[in-house]
Amino acid sequence: MSWKFWQRNKSAEPKKKKTKTREWTDAIIFAVVAATIIRVFFIEAYTIPSGSMERSLLIGDFLFVSKVNYGARIPMTPVAFPFAHHTMPLTGTKAYWDGVQWKYRRLPGFQHIKRNDVVVFNFPEGDTVALDAQDDNYYQMLLRGETRTQIYANHTIVSRPVDKRENFIKRCIAIAGDTVSMENGLASVNGKKVPLEPTGWFYYTIEFKTSDINMRLFQDMGFKTAETNVPTIYQFEGTPAMIAELKKSDYVKSITENVAVKGDFDKAIFPHDKNRGWNLDNYGPIIVPKKGWTVKMDSVTMPLYERSIRIYEGNKLEKVGNDWILNGKKATEYTFKMDYYWMMGDNRHQSADSRYWGFVPEDHIVGKALFIWMSFDSEGSWFSKIRWNRIFKGIH
């Protein structure tokens, strides 16, 4: 039998039909691969777990976040279980293997991050986590007075690579190279005051002319209220627009915005430096690092930039006497390798943001929030729980 004759007869043979099991397996593999590519490089769904962005974004909002606007980040921890972020849903074990780590790379995007963009990013202080603690932020636990020995003895501590740290969503107040500050609760960027977004919440002390007040009326207006020891005085939480309407009420005697006193040091506020005396409503000015910017390394600047130089940019840094030793050599200045951003929540008095943990490096940026595709309230029947007016609402 000739080779050509054998080949013709071989090609004429009918192909073996796939079994149902094989067809389903191929379909599932294709679906997983396709969905993973879409999720990593194009668009991904997220949910809002906290009230830090109220009322711009509400707890129970489900968002689509674009990876292409700023450029998709190439996976830095490529070996991971599909559709799981850092933890397996049932077993609670790691959903990734950090034995393989790729350096930070990003595909070209359509735009750069702009001021007031709503951005999803990996939590900068999420590199070390206390798994079994209600507040799993290892660094805040240290600030509260717990020693490293106590924390490691009482909790399960894990380290996470950049792209497997918890996802946060905030508004970008300042971009790389900007100077940001805050005075009496009002932020400024490059010397220009930046009022809170109209949806942002503040705390107020409201004094009424009489104690005969129906709080239900104000709660129906959208306020969150709390009593005090004085029958005519209440604590209100609401937006400036809501307060403007409240001022029209004949029952209101006075309205005072609750802000921290300037100079009243709060050790939880970045950079946790008592000499600066900063707090939630009064801090700065701070220059947000920009790629190529050179900063002098001294006692004034290093409390602000030491973590960025050491942790985010991966340098060996130590202080010997009054000198800084950078990668084994004495250094008096440092040039940044990445851009950084300053993120804040619209609900500023209930937001863990850059005021607490500082700058967000560019390699932590996940994507830009686009629109809400579904929203659920925690109260009511399953049908009434859906916030119909928020479905397909854009994020601004």
Side-chain angles (χ1 to χ4, degrees):
M1 181 184 294
S2 69
W3 171 258
K4 289 184 179 180
F5 179 81
W6 182 84
Q7 283 285 82
R8 283 198 302 270
N9 279 272
K10 183 176 182 294
S11 61
E13 292 178 1
K15 292 183 178 179
K16 188 176 181 181
K17 187 178 180 181
K18 292 182 180 179
T19 65
K20 286 290 183 182
T21 302
R22 176 64 185 275
E23 288 179 350
W24 275 104
T25 301
D26 290 349
I28 290 171
I29 292 173
F30 175 80
V32 169
V33 171
T36 300
I37 291 173
I38 292 171
R39 180 173 177 262
V40 170
F41 294 103
F42 294 95
I43 196 168
E44 187 172 0
Y46 289 87
T47 184
I48 298 297
S50 72
S52 68
M53 287 293 289
E54 286 189 352
R55 301 175 66 186
S56 302
L57 297 171
L58 304 179
I59 297 174
D61 282 349
F62 291 82
L63 318 175
F64 275 131
V65 175
S66 167
K67 304 293 184 71
V68 297
N69 282 63
Y70 305 139
R73 184 178 57 183
I74 304 299
M76 302 163 76
T77 311
V79 183
F81 190 84
F83 312 121
H85 182 42
H86 53 60
T87 304
M88 296 295 288
L90 297 177
T91 63
T93 55
K94 283 200 314 184
Y96 60 91
W97 181 55
D98 50 10
V100 177
Q101 289 287 294
W102 292 346
K103 68 179 183 178
Y104 165 64
R105 295 184 182 89
R106 190 179 294 275
L107 298 177
F110 297 147
Q111 64 176 102
H112 297 292
I113 296 177
K114 303 190 299 293
R115 298 180 195 94
N116 286 323
D117 278 0
V118 177
V119 181
V120 172
F121 55 92
N122 297 118
F123 179 39
E125 286 191 344
D127 56 331
T128 307
V129 179
L131 288 181
D132 51 355
Q134 186 173 3
D135 179 4
D136 63 3
N137 189 327
Y138 169 81
Y139 300 99
Q140 290 294 324
M141 295 168 76
L142 289 174
L143 289 171
R144 289 195 297 268
E146 296 182 67
T147 65
R148 286 181 170 82
T149 302
Q150 290 173 331
I151 296 172
Y152 275 86
N154 297 328
H155 304 285
T156 302
I157 305 299
V158 298
S159 297
R160 288 174 178 160
V162 170
D163 57 340
K164 296 303 177 183
R165 295 170 191 173
E166 207 67 57
N167 290 316
F168 273 38
I169 182 166
K170 306 289 178 188
R171 191 176 298 276
C172 179
I173 294 296
I175 61 176
D178 284 347
T179 298
V180 61
S181 62
M182 198 163 188
E183 185 173 1
N184 295 325
L186 180 60
S188 296
V189 177
N190 300 328
K192 182 180 179 181
K193 295 187 184 303
V194 183
L196 191 66
E197 291 294 311
T199 54
W201 290 60
F202 280 111
Y203 286 115
Y204 300 88
T205 298
I206 312 295
E207 184 176 2
F208 293 96
K209 296 175 182 178
T210 174
S211 60
D212 186 19
I213 296 294
N214 183 1
M215 280 294 110
R216 183 69 184 180
L217 295 175
F218 301 107
Q219 292 165 0
D220 290 343
M221 292 174 63
F223 286 105
K224 297 177 182 178
T225 65
E227 297 179 356
T228 68
N229 294 328
V230 181
T232 58
I233 297 178
Y234 288 80
Q235 298 295 328
F236 273 49
E237 186 180 355
T239 68
M242 293 163 63
I243 289 295
E245 285 297 314
L246 184 62
K247 287 180 179 178
K248 299 176 183 179
S249 172
D250 293 334
Y251 298 102
V252 176
K253 182 177 180 180
S254 66
I255 298 176
T256 305
E257 183 182 327
N258 298 339
V259 294
V261 177
K262 190 172 184 178
D264 188 4
F265 173 63
D266 183 349
K267 67 179 180 180
I269 298 301
F270 176 84
H272 323 296
D273 181 6
K274 189 174 183 179
N275 295 324
R276 283 179 160 84
W278 293 354
N279 57 48
L280 188 69
D281 297 309
N282 298 276
Y283 64 81
I286 306 172
I287 298 176
V288 182
K290 182 180 178 66
K291 183 178 180 179
W293 178 56
T294 300
V295 64
K296 186 178 179 181
M297 299 171 68
D298 56 28
S299 59
V300 176
T301 59
M302 289 306 284
L304 293 170
Y305 303 115
E306 179 183 354
R307 179 173 173 83
S308 298
I309 297 170
R310 185 199 308 274
I311 304 298
Y312 303 146
E313 306 221 343
N315 294 287
K316 183 180 180 182
L317 182 67
E318 58 182 334
K319 190 175 183 181
V320 179
N322 293 323
D323 297 327
W324 286 97
I325 308 301
L326 180 67
N327 299 323
K329 297 180 181 179
K330 180 180 175 180
T332 58
E333 59 183 28
Y334 180 79
T335 301
F336 285 95
K337 304 171 187 175
M338 290 191 292
D339 286 334
Y340 291 77
Y341 304 91
W342 191 264
M343 307 288 186
M344 289 178 62
D346 287 349
N347 190 8
R348 288 183 183 173
H349 284 274
Q350 290 188 0
S351 172
D353 52 36
S354 285
R355 291 171 295 177
Y356 290 91
W357 30 257
F359 313 110
V360 177
E362 68 173 67
D363 66 349
H364 284 56
I365 300 298
V366 174
K368 181 178 182 179
L370 294 181
F371 63 90
I372 300 164
W373 62 272
M374 180 55 73
S375 182
F376 290 100
D377 199 343
S378 59
E379 299 179 358
S381 63
W382 73 269
F383 187 78
S384 63
K385 282 184 178 182
I386 300 175
R387 302 185 183 109
W388 296 99
N389 63 328
R390 297 186 65 79
I391 296 178
F392 298 118
K393 181 180 180 181
I395 299 171
H396 305 289

